[in-house]
Amino acid sequence: MTEKEYNDAVRQWSQNVFRFVMKSCGNQNLSEDIVQTAYMKLWENREKVFFEKCKSWLFVTAHNTLLNELKKEKRSSSLENTPHKEPYHNNNRYDLRDLLDQGLKRLPQLQKSIILLRDLEGYSYDDIGEILSLNPSQVKVYLFRARKKMKQMLQNIYQMAG
C-alpha cells in the first residue's frame, strides 16, 4: 500500500470504523483510541495489506482491538464498580434510537458486531464472515438470533408501557 492509498483509507473509512466501534462500546475516548490503533497497525503493515482489502482489514483490527480492551476492562472491574441498570424510558416517552442502543448493549458482543456491520455499515454476509472469522452461514444464524432478541426486548418494553 502506498502512502497515498493509506491517506485515502483514512479519509474514506475512519468515520465508518469509528461509528462501528462507538456503537459497539459506547465510549468515545476508547473508540477514538481503537481507531487510531487500527490505523497505526495498518501503517505498520502497509507493505503486507493490499488497498482493496484495507477496509476489511481495518474492521477486523478494530474489532479485535475492541475485544481485547473489553477483556481488560472486565478483568480490572470489581463488584463495587458494577454499573446499575439504566431505565429504558423517561415519563413513558420512548426515543427509538435510545431503545435500540439499550438493546444493542444487552446483546453478546459477537451478535452486536454482526448487527452493526450488517445493518449499520451494510456489509455482506461474506464480508462480515471475513471480518469476524465466521462462515456466511454462521453470520446468518447469529444475525437472526440477534434480531430476534432485539425484537423480544422491544416487545417487552412496549408491553410494560401499555
Side-chain angles (χ1 to χ4, degrees):
M1 170 181 309
T2 66
E3 185 175 336
K4 181 191 178 310
E5 288 173 330
Y6 176 84
N7 290 331
D8 287 345
V10 172
R11 278 190 292 280
Q12 289 179 25
W13 300 307
S14 60
Q15 289 296 323
N16 297 51
V17 176
F18 174 79
R19 185 173 51 236
F20 167 69
V21 176
M22 182 66 183
K23 286 286 186 182
S24 294
C25 72
N27 180 323
Q28 183 170 346
N29 291 332
L30 179 60
S31 299
E32 290 169 353
D33 289 346
I34 289 172
V35 171
Q36 185 173 3
T37 299
Y39 275 99
M40 181 185 71
K41 288 179 181 180
L42 176 62
W43 180 254
E44 291 169 353
N45 291 287
R46 68 188 177 279
E47 294 172 2
K48 300 174 195 170
V49 179
F50 294 108
F51 182 73
E52 298 77 27
K53 292 287 187 177
C54 172
K55 185 176 180 184
S56 295
W57 194 95
L58 283 166
F59 274 89
V60 169
T61 303
H63 180 259
N64 291 338
T65 304
L66 173 63
L67 292 179
N68 290 337
E69 289 299 319
L70 293 176
K71 285 177 189 174
K72 281 185 205 173
E73 282 183 18
K74 192 174 185 179
R75 283 192 300 255
S76 66
S77 68
S78 67
L79 292 176
E80 298 167 351
N81 295 332
T82 303
H84 67 287
K85 291 185 179 180
E86 296 179 19
Y88 278 107
H89 58 83
N90 183 11
N91 298 330
N92 292 332
R93 300 194 92 175
Y94 298 100
D95 178 28
L96 182 57
R97 184 177 302 239
D98 290 340
L99 290 174
L100 292 174
D101 286 344
Q102 287 296 321
L104 282 171
K105 287 179 185 175
R106 294 171 180 256
L107 290 176
Q109 184 62 45
L110 182 61
Q111 290 180 352
K112 182 190 317 183
S113 295
I114 290 172
I115 280 190
L116 292 172
L117 289 169
R118 179 71 181 168
D119 296 338
L120 183 67
E121 298 298 330
Y123 275 99
S124 70
Y125 297 121
D126 290 333
D127 291 340
I128 296 169
E130 184 179 328
I131 291 169
L132 301 177
S133 301
L134 301 169
N135 67 49
S137 300
Q138 290 172 306
V139 171
K140 290 176 186 178
V141 168
Y142 284 122
L143 181 62
F144 173 79
R145 289 177 183 165
R147 287 177 174 165
K148 188 174 176 181
K149 283 182 185 178
M150 291 286 291
K151 180 180 177 183
Q152 185 62 47
M153 283 186 261
L154 292 173
Q155 285 175 336
N156 290 343
I157 293 167
Y158 179 76
Q159 290 171 353
M160 288 177 8

